Amino acid sequence: MSEITGTLHSPQLPEAGVPVRLQFLGDLLRIEGAGTQDVMADTLEVSVIGFNDDTLQLAWQEGDGTHAVTIADAVSQRALVASAPASLARKLRGGRGDIRFHRGKWSVVIGALVTCVLLVALVWWQSEAITEWIANRVSMETELRIGEHALTQIETETELTQEGLAAKTVAEIGGRLTVGSRYKYRWYVSNDKEVNAFALPGGIIVVNAGLIAKAGSADELAGVLAHEIQHVEHRHTLQQMIHAAGWAAVLAVVLGDVSAITAIVVHQLGNLHNSRQLEEQADVEGMKALARAGIPVEGMAAMFRRLQSEEARVGDDTPGLLSSHPATAERIVELERLSKTLRCTCRSLSYDWPAVQAALPGVVR
Amino acid sequence: MALLTHRIEGSDLQFVEITLAAGEAVVGEPGAMMYADEAVEMDTRMGDGDDASFFGRIAAGFKRAFTGENFFTSVFTNNTSRPLRVAFAAPSPGKMVVVDLASIGGTLICQRGAFLGGTRGVRVGVAFKKRLRAGLFGGEGFVMQRISGSGTAIIHASGTLAQISLRAGESLKVDTGCLAALQTSVTYDVMYVGKLKTSILGGEGLFLAQLKGPGIVWLQSLPMKRLRASLLGASMAQSRGAGGKMLYFLGIIIFVIYSLAQLP
């Protein structure tokens, strides 16, 4: 049994208290240090005191006033509880519980705060991995439903067609590039003059008339298609939508406004920006798809180069495809480097390209 | 550890002269030294000025800085065989108290920045007030100073310091901010002043600190905050007077310009 030490405060003693040793003898508490005195255990009143609420006080009335022993250190407190007579031990355990509560509440509060901060940091840091994880758990049917919902949104703004030579050409080239895919692709040509193309979840690919009008050959169109197909295959668009929806959900919780979610998601549909890594992945995989399909891989780089020179010439009027697919010089260099490493028995696509361009919906020249 | 031989000089703007026995060392806040005998060796160390490990000293330094002290400590050592003097001056109008730490159980809780010096080996740490209401409304904040060790600690607080002993269960109402130091066995909490009328018109604010014994507390008559407010108030009043004069002159100038403009 370890020694129980405490401080005795009595009217006759120095005000700061006198160090004493405590010991239970049956129902008596023996206090040694400032002489020896015995106190009946059942007259003791237990309370928790001190600056930190971590000291046990045993107080009793005697003659000239209140006397008290205070026990500050945890070892002595445990020994005190262990050796006290049953009735007092119960009260002491209550006191120890209070001390633990006072100590524990701050640990809990600080722990909870730290956990929250770490969690937010982790989500922030790993947001791409998390959205990818979620995106891979969305079923094909759901994905298609999301894609079709987005398609109806786009149809309210532009006119889409699957008819005509242009759309047929797109579908044919796309078909060659997506042999063996788990998605059932649908190809649309819109009458939008903006030089752009985009992929919606579930295998819906929309090519703007402006892009076909600007492309120099069917190979260049194939390059763009190969790139967009990868966004579908790797569920990039879905990931970006989940990402945007996630932030919108956070925003909605903060602002308490559910309509904010819909507003933001609808807004995001129009201009989803894929991250640099996702674009790179789409480039590389798109190149491989071109090579597999036997289509010259140089088309992709050529298309981007054309757009870049266009941007330099026109000035501030950035083509839409560039604003969502930044065609930096290094990216073009990377594409050209890749096109040299890929082996392919490629033959240029044999379409009557001017005829395809002439069959575009709307007036885009 | 031996107690320091000391002599406090002055009434409200005090300094303490310590006589160092042969081989004895004291620590003081950097800048607190007023004078010392030629032979006293002066050294500046991180943390509490003791022989802890490098990282221990850095940790101690941060603890000190967190409680309103300096990151560094000045150590004054007497390496001669005769007694030497070193004196520390108080940084502001107020009183010093020399506390024998062993006599009060080895630990003293003080308000931030109270520690002035003491026996080498006395440590200054953080005493975090765990009661939310006492931390918010007690007038001393959440962070106070824990001075521990077995030697002498010299603390300083503005105003006059009153040492009050509380018996077990005895309780004292104290104006918030007036608590300078207390023994660890004293319970420190806040209480609502009691009546709406008193809380608005009583001038003591909404809360009072409550100190409950057993143990010793040291109270200060003029907390730094109040001293600062009254000095600031006085200087503001003066500048407001100057501003009034400026306004007066501005009025005259505008009047003159206006009159001149009215001339044909």
Side-chain angles (χ1 to χ4, degrees):
Chain A
M1 177 64 65
S2 59
E3 196 175 57
I4 308 169
T5 56
T7 310
L8 176 63
H9 295 266
S10 293
Q12 314 87 352
L13 294 173
E15 290 116 345
V18 173
V20 289
R21 288 185 308 282
L22 306 173
Q23 193 185 353
F24 281 106
L25 301 169
D27 279 347
L28 287 179
L29 174 65
R30 169 155 293 175
I31 303 165
E32 292 169 297
T36 302
Q37 69 183 112
D38 291 336
V39 186
M40 287 292 291
D42 52 4
T43 61
L44 293 173
E45 223 174 283
V46 177
S47 51
V48 174
I49 61 151
F51 179 80
N52 282 333
D53 300 300
D54 61 355
T55 305
L56 278 178
Q57 176 181 262
L58 305 176
W60 70 96
Q61 300 294 328
E62 189 185 299
D64 44 2
T66 309
H67 300 239
V69 274
T70 58
I71 301 101
D73 74 301
V75 176
S76 290
Q77 288 177 359
R78 271 198 294 275
L80 189 79
V81 176
S83 63
S87 63
L88 187 63
R90 212 183 51 244
K91 285 193 258 179
L92 286 172
R93 270 195 290 277
R96 288 274 295 159
D98 286 353
I99 291 170
R100 271 197 297 275
F101 170 74
H102 283 304
R103 197 178 303 149
K105 67 182 176 187
W106 279 92
S107 313
V108 169
V109 167
I110 290 167
L113 278 177
V114 168
T115 312
C116 280
V117 169
L118 282 180
L119 216 64
V120 169
L122 190 74
V123 167
W124 185 278
W125 178 48
Q126 285 293 342
S127 62
E128 278 197 359
I130 291 167
T131 47
E132 195 181 343
W133 185 83
I134 298 171
N136 288 335
R137 261 142 202 84
V138 174
S139 71
M140 300 272 283
E141 294 82 55
T142 315
E143 195 183 347
L144 189 62
R145 236 186 357 260
I146 295 170
E148 271 168 357
H149 182 72
L151 191 66
T152 49
Q153 287 282 336
I154 290 164
E155 272 178 329
T156 59
E157 289 162 21
T158 57
E159 208 173 292
L160 300 179
T161 177
Q162 289 181 294
E163 304 298 320
L165 183 58
K168 288 236 156 54
T169 311
V170 169
E172 265 180 45
I173 300 171
R176 274 182 70 176
L177 285 164
T178 56
V179 175
S181 167
R182 59 190 172 142
Y183 288 96
K184 205 172 160 294
Y185 280 89
R186 280 144 66 188
W187 313 90
Y188 292 89
V189 173
S190 87
N191 67 348
D192 198 327
K193 286 181 202 171
E194 199 183 31
V195 184
N196 206 350
F198 45 90
L200 299 177
I204 299 165
I205 288 181
V206 180
V207 182
N208 282 359
L211 184 126
I212 296 173
K214 197 63 78 182
S217 70
D219 290 357
E220 290 180 15
L221 173 66
V224 173
L225 286 179
H227 176 95
E228 294 300 332
I229 286 163
Q230 300 315 312
H231 284 324
V232 173
E233 291 290 328
H234 296 282
R235 297 189 154 185
H236 290 170
T237 318
L238 193 62
Q239 278 178 41
Q240 295 306 308
M241 286 169 96
I242 290 166
H243 191 77
W247 287 119
V250 170
L251 215 66
V253 168
V254 173
L255 300 176
D257 184 5
V258 181
S259 63
I261 301 185
T262 31
I264 288 172
V265 171
V266 167
H267 170 75
Q268 285 283 343
L269 282 179
N271 46 0
L272 282 171
H273 288 245
N274 290 314
S275 75
R276 206 192 171 91
Q277 285 101 309
L278 298 190
E279 286 302 326
E280 264 175 35
Q281 192 186 16
D283 281 350
V284 174
E285 297 298 321
M287 282 277 199
K288 287 178 186 162
L290 283 172
R292 272 199 304 278
I295 299 170
V297 295
E298 289 79 12
M300 197 187 281
M303 185 71 202
F304 279 118
R305 193 171 283 283
R306 186 184 295 280
L307 288 173
Q308 202 185 30
S309 62
E310 181 80 359
E311 188 185 16
R313 194 164 55 79
V314 179
D316 57 356
D317 187 21
T318 308
L321 193 65
L322 280 193
S323 73
S324 60
H325 300 74
T328 56
E330 58 184 294
R331 185 172 170 193
I332 292 172
V333 168
E334 180 64 22
L335 281 174
E336 282 174 346
R337 193 187 62 75
L338 254 172
S339 64
K340 287 198 186 72
T341 60
L342 284 172
R343 278 160 181 273
C344 138
T345 48
C346 297
R347 290 207 354 256
S348 278
L349 292 165
S350 55
Y351 288 98
D352 180 4
W353 189 242
V356 172
Q357 286 178 320
L360 286 171
V363 186
V364 293
R365 295 300 170 95
Chain B
M1 213 172 283
L3 296 179
L4 297 174
T5 314
H6 67 275
R7 180 166 58 89
I8 292 177
E9 293 284 344
S11 54
D12 297 324
L13 303 159
Q14 296 183 323
F15 72 92
V16 59
E17 186 191 272
I18 297 163
T19 308
L20 291 175
E24 198 174 25
V26 288
V27 293
E29 281 302 291
M33 199 273 288
M34 185 182 166
Y35 62 80
D37 276 320
E38 179 66 44
V40 169
E41 273 174 36
M42 198 176 148
D43 186 17
T44 301
R45 299 179 65 105
M46 270 190 299
D48 294 317
D50 53 9
D51 294 319
S53 69
F54 178 70
F55 291 108
R57 291 207 303 270
I58 289 183
F62 278 114
K63 272 187 205 166
R64 292 170 64 85
F66 196 52
T67 64
E69 301 293 329
N70 204 302
F71 191 85
F72 296 95
T73 299
S74 296
V75 183
F76 301 85
T77 315
N78 178 2
N79 284 329
T80 66
S81 53
R82 60 194 152 78
L84 294 174
R85 293 166 302 179
V86 59
F88 299 123
S92 63
K95 292 276 189 192
M96 289 182 188
V97 173
V98 176
V99 181
D100 169 17
L101 289 173
S103 77
I104 58 157
T107 307
L108 182 69
I109 311 282
C110 298
Q111 66 177 203
R112 296 186 58 192
F115 183 72
L116 192 66
T119 317
R120 189 175 182 201
V122 168
R123 287 183 305 279
V124 177
V126 180
F128 187 73
K129 186 60 196 166
K130 297 196 179 82
R131 285 198 189 181
L132 200 63
R133 55 171 189 261
L136 288 174
F137 306 114
E140 306 296 339
F142 282 100
V143 176
M144 292 179 78
Q145 241 173 24
R146 179 191 301 278
I147 301 173
S148 55
S150 54
T152 303
I154 303 164
I155 62 165
H156 173 267
S158 61
T160 299
L161 278 172
Q163 178 177 335
I164 296 177
S165 300
L166 298 171
R167 296 285 168 204
E170 196 182 347
S171 164
L172 200 64
K173 280 181 204 169
V174 179
D175 188 15
T176 53
C178 286
L179 177 64
L182 70 162
Q183 219 181 328
T184 48
S185 61
V186 175
T187 309
Y188 162 43
D189 203 350
V190 292
M191 55 194 251
Y192 179 55
V193 82
K195 289 182 198 145
L196 190 66
K197 196 172 64 179
T198 317
S199 68
I200 295 168
L201 306 170
E204 306 294 343
L206 285 177
F207 298 96
L208 288 175
Q210 186 186 36
L211 301 173
K212 195 169 175 191
I216 302 174
V217 297
W218 286 264
L219 305 178
Q220 62 185 136
S221 63
L222 183 59
M224 204 59 187
K225 219 179 273 174
R226 204 178 298 163
L227 179 64
R228 198 163 52 210
S230 67
L231 287 178
L232 205 67
S235 62
M236 289 294 275
Q238 199 174 15
S239 67
R240 201 160 41 241
K245 227 171 271 176
M246 286 268 285
L247 220 64
Y248 184 66
F249 277 118
L250 209 67
I252 291 174
I253 290 166
I254 288 170
F255 176 74
V256 168
I257 291 171
Y258 180 75
S259 323
L260 286 174
Q262 291 299 308
L263 287 176

XYZ file of all heavy atoms in Angstrom, chain B residues 33 69 77 95 134 141 148 168 174 177 186 191 218 223 225 228 232 234 245:
142
model
N 16.917 42.946 -14.516
C 18.086 43.233 -13.675
C 18.303 44.741 -13.576
O 18.267 45.446 -14.573
C 19.325 42.549 -14.284
C 20.474 42.375 -13.343
S 21.563 43.801 -13.267
C 22.379 43.702 -14.838
N 5.740 35.497 -20.288
C 7.128 35.734 -19.897
C 7.995 35.754 -21.143
O 7.519 35.579 -22.255
C 7.606 34.615 -18.954
C 6.803 34.484 -17.686
C 6.944 35.678 -16.761
O 8.005 36.304 -16.746
O 5.965 36.004 -16.071
N 24.932 34.096 -11.486
C 25.617 33.123 -10.638
C 26.756 33.790 -9.870
O 27.474 34.631 -10.414
C 26.192 31.979 -11.510
O 25.185 31.593 -12.434
C 26.575 30.784 -10.670
N 3.481 45.959 -6.398
C 4.177 45.352 -5.261
C 4.755 44.009 -5.653
O 4.245 43.321 -6.532
C 3.198 45.140 -4.106
C 2.707 46.442 -3.484
C 3.685 46.964 -2.464
C 3.062 48.140 -1.713
N 4.035 48.854 -0.922
N -15.197 30.511 -15.790
C -14.129 31.216 -15.080
C -13.108 31.752 -16.075
O -12.592 32.855 -15.923
C -13.459 30.281 -14.083
N -8.490 35.204 -17.792
C -8.351 34.426 -19.012
C -8.199 32.947 -18.719
O -8.294 32.520 -17.564
N 6.458 26.425 -10.193
C 6.659 25.271 -9.319
C 8.139 25.048 -9.066
O 8.997 25.482 -9.824
C 6.025 24.023 -9.943
O 6.523 23.833 -11.232
N -10.828 26.415 5.358
C -11.564 25.411 4.585
C -13.023 25.836 4.478
O -13.664 26.143 5.474
C -11.463 24.056 5.257
N -14.439 38.477 -5.234
C -13.342 39.331 -5.679
C -13.721 39.954 -7.018
O -14.276 39.286 -7.887
C -12.040 38.503 -5.829
C -10.906 39.371 -6.318
C -11.668 37.850 -4.515
N -10.319 40.306 -12.275
C -9.056 40.946 -12.636
C -8.169 41.246 -11.456
O -6.985 41.517 -11.619
N -6.930 26.334 -3.653
C -8.039 27.289 -3.675
C -8.870 27.062 -4.941
O -8.330 26.912 -6.028
C -7.510 28.738 -3.641
C -8.640 29.725 -3.790
C -6.741 28.985 -2.367
N -19.089 33.973 -10.254
C -20.502 33.952 -9.899
C -21.158 35.209 -10.446
O -20.515 36.253 -10.607
C -20.660 33.878 -8.391
C -19.946 34.988 -7.629
S -19.850 34.623 -5.899
C -21.003 35.796 -5.260
N -3.513 35.969 -3.188
C -2.939 37.314 -3.223
C -3.792 38.139 -4.186
O -4.006 37.734 -5.327
C -1.497 37.279 -3.718
C -0.531 36.733 -2.719
C 0.230 37.458 -1.855
C -0.203 35.354 -2.490
N 1.020 36.613 -1.086
C 0.773 35.329 -1.459
C -0.625 34.142 -3.034
C 1.309 34.143 -0.982
C -0.088 32.963 -2.560
C 0.863 32.971 -1.529
N -5.562 46.286 -11.042
C -5.129 45.440 -12.160
C -4.578 46.290 -13.301
O -5.023 47.419 -13.506
C -6.411 44.734 -12.600
C -7.373 44.904 -11.480
C -6.995 46.152 -10.775
N -5.046 46.178 -16.348
C -6.068 46.566 -17.320
C -6.732 47.883 -16.902
O -6.965 48.764 -17.708
C -7.124 45.449 -17.394
C -7.622 45.176 -18.805
C -8.635 44.062 -18.787
C -7.981 42.689 -18.901
N -8.920 41.581 -18.754
N -4.304 50.806 -17.149
C -4.148 51.194 -18.549
C -5.369 52.002 -18.995
O -5.246 53.031 -19.645
C -4.007 49.934 -19.402
C -3.419 50.179 -20.754
C -2.927 48.890 -21.348
N -3.964 47.863 -21.325
C -3.724 46.573 -21.225
N -2.511 46.142 -21.122
N -4.715 45.705 -21.226
N -5.227 55.740 -20.265
C -5.669 55.962 -21.634
C -6.812 56.965 -21.648
O -6.856 57.873 -22.467
C -6.118 54.635 -22.241
C -6.047 54.526 -23.751
C -4.594 54.549 -24.197
C -6.709 53.246 -24.216
N -7.390 59.312 -19.489
C -6.874 60.643 -19.203
C -6.231 61.244 -20.450
O -6.479 62.408 -20.788
C -5.855 60.562 -18.075
N -10.260 72.483 -29.657
C -9.604 73.741 -30.000
C -9.425 73.852 -31.513
O -9.666 74.887 -32.111
C -8.252 73.808 -29.280
C -8.002 75.140 -28.589
C -6.766 75.086 -27.716
C -7.066 74.626 -26.304
N -5.866 74.473 -25.485
